[in-house]
C-alpha cells in the first residue's frame, strides 16, 4: 500500500471516528464529563487520573457536548424571568434586577403580592449581620415583610411615617416589627402620619423622642426597601393624602412619580420639594447615600413611574414584574448615566 492509499485509509478511519464513538470512547467521555461537570475536577486532575494529556481531556469534553452526552441547562424557578431581569439591569445600570412572571389576570394590577415574596428572598441575600435595614411605607414593602422568613441579625428602622396613623399596627409599624422579629434585631418604628397639615407640625413631631430616635438611624442605614407610586388615585400614597387643589398644583409641576414622599418628573428630577417639609420621611440625600436601595413596584400602570424613579439615581436594585419590565425596556432612550448616584439637581 503506497503512501497515498495509506492517507486515504487513515482519512476514512478518521471520518468514521468523527461520525461514531465506540463504547470505550463513550464510557471514557461520560466518566470525564462527570468528573468535570458534576465533581468539579480540573482538566489536569482528570488527565492524571486517566493517564492522558489535558489537551485530550479538553477534546473529549468538547466532543461530549457536540454528541449530546452532556447537556448544559440554565434553569431558574418558573416565576422568574432571567432574560428580562438581565436586560433591565443592564439598561438602567442596576446592581440587581429581578423580574417576576405575573399571572395574566394581574397584569393591570399595581404591585402584585408575589413581588413581596421575591423581594423578601432578595433581602435575605443582601442583608448582612450588623446591617441597618430601612423600610419605607408601601403596600409592596408590607407584603415583603409578611413574607420574610430569614434575615441575619440587624437593626430595622422605619423610614417614613404611615399612610394613616390609625392603621399603623397593620402597616409600616407592623412591617418593621416583623422584620426585626425575623432578624432578632432592634426595631425603631415611627408612630406618626407621613403627611402633616403644615411644616411646623411636622417639625414638632420629628423632635418627639421616639421619632427622633428613629431619625438618628437614617444615616446608618445600609439596605433600604422602598415602594414607588404613580401620580394617580389608588396607586400613590401621597396623591391620595392631598387635597384636590394640592394635587393640581403638583401635577402642574410635571410630577410623574413619588417615592417615600419625594416627587419626580418623567426625567427623574425632583419637583415639589416643599412637600417634604410637611412629611415624616427620610431625606432624598440620605437615600442617595444608602449603599443598597431596593425598590419593589410592578404592574403596567406603574411603568412610567418606575422609569422616572430609576432615572433619579436613588435606586440601586429593582423587583418588578413582566408587564412593567416590558414597558421599561422601551421607555425612551436608556439613561445616559446609568446608576449615577451623584446629585444632578442639588438635592
Amino acid at each position: 500500500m503506497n503512501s497515498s492509499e495509506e492517507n486515504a485509509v487513515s482519512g476514512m478511519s478518521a471520518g468514521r471516528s468523527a461520525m461514531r464513538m465506540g463504547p470505550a470512547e463513550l464510557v471514557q467521555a461520560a466518566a470525564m464529563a462527570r468528573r468535570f461537570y458534576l465533581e468539579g475536577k480540573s482538566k489536569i486532575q482528570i488527565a492524571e487520573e486517566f493517564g492522558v494529556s489535558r489537551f485530550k481531556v479538553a477534546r473529549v469534553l468538547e466532543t461530549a457536548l457536540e454528541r449530546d452526552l452532556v447537556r448544559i441547562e440554565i434553569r431558574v424557578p418558573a416565576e422568574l424571568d432571567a432574560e428580562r431581569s438581565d436586560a433591565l439591569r443592564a439598561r438602567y445600570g442596576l446592581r440587581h434586577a429581578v423580574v417576576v412572571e405575573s399571572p395574566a389576570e394581574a397584569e393591570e394590577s399595581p404591585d402584585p403580592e408575589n413581588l413581596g415574596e421575591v423581594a423578601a428572598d432578595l433581602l435575605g441575600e443582601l442583608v448582612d449581620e450588623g446591617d441597618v435595614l430601612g423600610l419605607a411605607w408601601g403596600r409592596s414593602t408590607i407584603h415583603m415583610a409578611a413574607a420574610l422568613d430569614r434575615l441575619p441579625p440587624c437593626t430595622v428602622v422605619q423610614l417614613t411615617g404611615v399612610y394613616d396613623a390609625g392603621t399603623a399596627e397593620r402597616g409600616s409599624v407592623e412591617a418593621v416589627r416583623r422584620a426585626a422579629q425575623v432578624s432578632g434585631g432592634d426595631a425603631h418604628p415611627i408612630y406618626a402620619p407621613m403627611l402633616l397639615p403644615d411644616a411646623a407640625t411636622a417639625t414638632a413631631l420629628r423632635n418627639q423622642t421616639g421619632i427622633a430616635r428613629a431619625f438618628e438611624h437614617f444615616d446608618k442605614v445600609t439596605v433600604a426597601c422602598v415602594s414607588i407610586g404613580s401620580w394617580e388615585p389608588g396607586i400613590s400614597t401621597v396623591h391620595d393624602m392631598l387635597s384636590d387643589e394640592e394635587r393640581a398644583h403638583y401635577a402642574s409641576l410635571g410630577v410623574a412619580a413619588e417615592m417615600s414622599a419625594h416627587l419626580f418628573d418623567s426625567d427623574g428630577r425632583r419637583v415639589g420639594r416643599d412637600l417634604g417639609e410637611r412629611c415624616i420621611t427620610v431625606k432624598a440625600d440620605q437615600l442617595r447615600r444608602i449603599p443598597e436601595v431596593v425598590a419593589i413596584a410592578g404592574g403596567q400602570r406603574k411603568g412610567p413611574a418606575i422609569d422616572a424613579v430609576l432615572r433619579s439615581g436613588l435606586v440601586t436594585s429593582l423587583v418588578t414584574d413582566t408587564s412593567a419590565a416590558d414597558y421599561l425596556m422601551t421607555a425612551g432612550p436608556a439613561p445616559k448615566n446609568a446608576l449615577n448616584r451623584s446629585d444632578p439637581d442639588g438635592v
Side-chain angles (χ1 to χ4, degrees):
M1 183 179 295
N2 59 36
S3 59
S4 60
E5 289 174 328
E6 288 177 353
N7 289 339
V9 172
S10 177
M12 291 173 62
S13 175
R16 284 195 298 271
S17 176
M19 290 185 292
R20 180 179 178 182
M21 296 176 71
E25 292 174 308
L26 286 169
V27 170
Q28 185 184 67
M32 289 183 176
R34 179 175 294 278
R35 304 289 195 281
F36 186 74
Y37 291 108
L38 299 184
E39 299 175 13
K41 291 188 176 181
S42 70
K43 293 175 184 176
I44 293 176
Q45 289 174 315
I46 297 170
E48 291 175 350
E49 178 182 347
F50 286 89
V52 298
S53 71
R54 62 186 177 89
F55 302 105
K56 171 69 179 295
V57 173
R59 287 197 300 271
V60 170
L61 292 176
E62 184 178 349
T63 301
L65 284 172
E66 293 173 351
R67 300 298 178 83
D68 253 2
L69 289 178
V70 175
R71 296 183 182 181
I72 299 175
E73 294 184 5
I74 300 173
R75 303 181 66 182
V76 295
E79 69 271 17
L80 300 183
D81 192 312
E83 186 175 349
R84 282 185 175 92
S85 297
D86 188 54
L88 199 59
R89 179 200 57 76
R91 175 177 169 83
Y92 287 94
L94 298 168
R95 293 207 186 97
H96 305 281
V98 182
V99 178
V100 179
E101 191 74 40
S102 295
E105 62 272 15
E107 285 187 357
E108 295 300 321
S109 302
D111 303 334
E113 289 192 23
N114 61 339
L115 294 185
E117 297 171 4
V118 174
D121 287 340
L122 179 61
L123 280 190
E125 293 182 60
L126 298 180
V127 176
D128 292 322
E129 183 173 351
D131 275 346
V132 177
L133 172 63
L135 301 181
W137 159 265
R139 285 181 291 267
S140 57
T141 53
I142 292 170
H143 293 153
M144 180 277 300
L148 281 172
D149 59 10
R150 62 185 177 98
L151 269 182
C154 65
T155 299
V156 186
V157 59
Q158 192 170 324
L159 295 179
T160 64
V162 299
Y163 176 56
D164 180 350
T167 64
E169 296 299 313
R170 302 190 302 275
S172 300
V173 171
E174 179 55 33
V176 169
R177 285 176 172 172
R178 167 66 182 168
Q181 180 184 33
V182 172
S183 74
D186 294 333
H188 295 277
I190 294 177
Y191 294 94
M194 181 189 297
L195 180 67
L196 282 304
D198 52 63
T201 304
T203 299
L205 276 178
R206 291 190 200 104
N207 291 327
Q208 288 189 358
T209 303
I211 297 175
R213 189 176 297 118
F215 268 61
E216 289 172 0
H217 283 81
F218 286 1
D219 287 328
K220 304 173 186 176
V221 173
T222 50
V223 180
C225 190
V226 300
S227 297
I228 295 173
S230 300
W231 198 246
E232 56 181 297
I235 52 177
S236 165
T237 300
V238 174
H239 180 281
D240 291 347
M241 289 191 290
L242 295 173
S243 67
D244 289 342
E245 183 179 356
E246 289 170 325
R247 292 169 188 159
H249 165 66
Y250 291 117
S252 71
L253 301 179
V255 60
E258 59 95 356
M259 179 181 68
S260 303
H262 301 294
L263 310 182
F264 305 86
D265 67 14
S266 59
D267 293 320
R269 293 186 294 260
R270 287 187 60 217
V271 296
R273 301 187 187 201
D274 60 303
L275 183 67
E277 298 173 4
R278 297 168 48 194
C279 292
I280 303 297
T281 186
V282 62
K283 295 179 180 179
D285 61 341
Q286 290 174 314
L287 275 174
R288 199 177 295 277
R289 291 195 297 269
I290 296 174
E292 187 73 73
V293 179
V294 181
I296 313 170
Q300 193 172 34
R301 291 172 63 190
K302 276 198 176 181
I306 298 170
D307 176 63
V309 172
L310 291 182
R311 291 176 185 276
S312 75
L314 291 176
V315 169
T316 62
S317 297
L318 174 69
V319 177
T320 190
D321 63 355
T322 51
S323 58
D326 287 344
Y327 173 88
L328 293 170
M329 291 306 299
T330 58
K336 293 181 180 179
N337 299 313
L339 196 56
N340 178 10
R341 304 202 80 196
S342 62
D343 183 10
D345 49 13
V347 172

